[in-house]
């Protein structure tokens, strides 16, 4: 005996339930002859900006930047301190050439509220 067979009434036809789906119908006219086109990529001159990872450790801030693009990027570290009397810092701009890497550092006397890196073309 098959499990579930006793639950079906004897002599009646099995009526398909929701577990049985209708067969899929595909109209050949709806399939495009060519694959869809890919969106246009930005021109090589539009790609710009080093990728920077910022790490805050207590009152110290470090940013590690890598420029994967063919243009030089001027990166600058900005540090906002948490205390009202603590002086915020804007570091000097550092040029990161193509395939170049650099480390930017900054600090507060006490806690750091936020830190970010700005980018500029030379």
């Amino acid at each position: 005996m098959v499990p579930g067979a006793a639950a079906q009434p004897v002599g009646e036809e099995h009526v398909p339930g929701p577990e049985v789906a209708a067969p899929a119908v595909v109209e050949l006219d709806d399939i495009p002859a060519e694959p869809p086109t890919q969106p246009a990529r930005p021109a090589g001159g539009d790609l710009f900006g080093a990728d920077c990872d910022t790490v805050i450790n207590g009152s110290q801030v470090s940013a590690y930047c890598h420029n994967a693009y063919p243009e030089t990027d001027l990166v600058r570290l900005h540090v906002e301190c948490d205390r009202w009397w603590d002086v915020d810092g804007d570091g000097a701009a550092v040029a990161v050439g193509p395939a170049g890497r650099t480390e930017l550092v900054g600090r507060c006397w006490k806690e750091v509220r936020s830190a970010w890196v700005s980018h500029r073309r030379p």
Side-chain angles (χ1 to χ4, degrees):
M1 184 172 253
V2 178
Q8 296 180 9
V10 179
E12 294 183 22
E13 288 187 32
H14 177 67
V15 179
E19 70 276 355
V20 178
V25 177
V26 177
E27 294 291 331
L28 295 178
D29 294 335
D30 294 340
I31 300 174
E34 296 181 14
T37 59
Q38 294 288 330
R41 293 186 178 207
D46 295 333
L47 299 176
F48 174 77
D51 180 35
C52 298
D53 294 321
T54 305
V55 178
I56 299 173
N57 187 7
S59 63
Q60 303 286 328
V61 178
S62 299
Y64 305 94
C65 299
H66 173 251
N67 187 5
Y69 297 112
E71 289 188 47
T72 299
D73 184 7
L74 293 175
V75 293
R76 190 172 176 187
L77 178 63
H78 306 275
V79 179
E80 184 178 333
C81 301
D82 197 33
R83 309 289 177 120
W84 66 269
W85 47 264
D86 207 346
V87 179
D88 297 340
D90 296 318
V94 175
V96 184
R101 295 180 181 272
T102 192
E103 178 183 2
L104 307 170
V105 293
R107 66 179 301 268
C108 292
W109 284 104
K110 289 283 189 176
E111 300 86 9
V112 174
R113 176 175 294 165
S114 64
W116 66 95
V117 176
S118 63
H119 304 267
R120 191 181 74 189
R121 293 183 194 273

